[in-house]
Amino acid sequence: MERDDRVRTRWDSLPPSARMHGTPADPGPRLPGRALRRVAWPVLAIAAATALVAALAFAAPRVLPTGGGTTPLIDTLAGVRLELPPGWADGKVAPVTGFTAVARDDDGGGVVMTRPLAGPVKDPGESVKDAVAHYARLLLQGDRVKVVDDRPVARGHTRAVRAQYDDVVNRPAYLRVTLVTHGGGAALVLGLLQPEETAARQALDAVMASAG
């Protein structure tokens, strides 16, 4: 819960435009005191063992090392798959309307979202340019927005911008949009990071580059 609160705090730090009973059962026949004690101890022992196994099964994914592997995030609606490194997790519900899957970096504050596009896309570069302009206005509202990357990628196009603010509250933010084509359709992958830091930006870019 504490990690979720930290991520929510980072997300909320974006400019305002980004905010966006039955019938009781019969107890059954009563047993004499001695018989009840003879039955109770084995039952309690079994219950305790069962509870211990359940607790270990619940805790294991959180305690055992992951071995540094990745976890896939699959958006079946968008037809896209992302590889999530340690520290990233499925965010369940995307914070922006229209996106059908989301992943979050609890430590770095990055968010990656995916959504389907009605295809086919005739000009991926132009579509990405329009998408970046739209989401930069919606999510960043930067006083100065600079394009820091714009290039074709396998089966699509990617574009990234960096937003700076004149006030002392909002630190620089980073936005990347990648369009991935597949078959007769396409998917949009959007990554957002604030504050922008080199390691966190590289991690976000790696997640987006894994889209396939």
Side-chain angles (χ1 to χ4, degrees), residues 52-95:
L52 178 60
V53 171
L56 290 174
F58 178 80
R62 295 160 176 76
V63 176
L64 297 179
T66 61
T70 60
T71 302
L73 173 69
I74 302 174
D75 185 347
T76 56
L77 293 175
V80 68
R81 169 189 175 117
L82 303 176
E83 296 297 334
L84 306 180
W88 284 76
D90 181 353
K92 305 303 180 185
V93 180

Side-chain angles (χ1 to χ4, degrees), residues 11 14-20 96 126-146 159 161-165 173-177 190-192:
W11 180 261
L14 289 171
S17 59
R19 325 292 181 259
M20 296 182 86
V96 178
E126 192 64 26
S127 296
V128 168
K129 180 180 178 180
D130 292 342
V132 168
H134 171 72
Y135 288 112
R137 288 193 303 268
L138 177 67
L139 301 175
L140 301 183
Q141 290 279 311
D143 295 303
R144 293 178 304 283
V145 178
K146 178 182 178 181
R159 184 180 177 95
V161 296
R162 185 176 190 267
Q164 292 181 286
Y165 305 90
Y174 178 78
L175 173 73
R176 178 179 290 278
V177 175
L190 182 148
L192 181 67

Side-chain angles (χ1 to χ4, degrees), residues 1-211:
M1 181 66 71
E2 182 180 347
R3 283 188 170 185
D4 288 343
D5 291 340
R6 291 204 308 270
V7 175
R8 191 176 297 111
T9 299
R10 293 190 185 99
W11 180 261
D12 292 341
S13 70
L14 289 171
S17 59
R19 325 292 181 259
M20 296 182 86
H21 295 285
T23 304
D26 185 350
R30 297 179 179 275
L31 295 175
R34 288 183 179 177
L36 182 60
R37 285 194 293 272
R38 286 199 300 271
V39 172
W41 282 112
V43 170
L44 289 175
I46 293 172
T50 302
L52 178 60
V53 171
L56 290 174
F58 178 80
R62 295 160 176 76
V63 176
L64 297 179
T66 61
T70 60
T71 302
L73 173 69
I74 302 174
D75 185 347
T76 56
L77 293 175
V80 68
R81 169 189 175 117
L82 303 176
E83 296 297 334
L84 306 180
W88 284 76
D90 181 353
K92 305 303 180 185
V93 180
V96 178
T97 302
F99 287 87
T100 48
V102 58
R104 301 177 185 275
D105 176 8
D106 290 343
D107 296 324
V111 177
V112 171
M113 298 176 282
T114 59
R115 63 172 296 174
L117 291 179
V121 177
K122 295 182 179 180
D123 188 340
E126 192 64 26
S127 296
V128 168
K129 180 180 178 180
D130 292 342
V132 168
H134 171 72
Y135 288 112
R137 288 193 303 268
L138 177 67
L139 301 175
L140 301 183
Q141 290 279 311
D143 295 303
R144 293 178 304 283
V145 178
K146 178 182 178 181
V147 177
V148 294
D149 189 19
D150 184 72
R151 56 190 162 83
V153 295
R155 297 189 300 145
H157 200 97
T158 190
R159 184 180 177 95
V161 296
R162 185 176 190 267
Q164 292 181 286
Y165 305 90
D166 291 335
D167 58 65
V168 296
V169 176
N170 288 299
R171 297 170 62 186
Y174 178 78
L175 173 73
R176 178 179 290 278
V177 175
T178 299
L179 188 149
V180 180
T181 60
H182 53 83
L188 198 68
V189 185
L190 182 148
L192 181 67
L193 176 67
Q194 190 185 46
E196 182 202 19
E197 295 175 349
T198 301
R201 185 182 70 248
Q202 291 173 344
L204 182 143
D205 284 345
V207 170
M208 296 189 63
S210 72

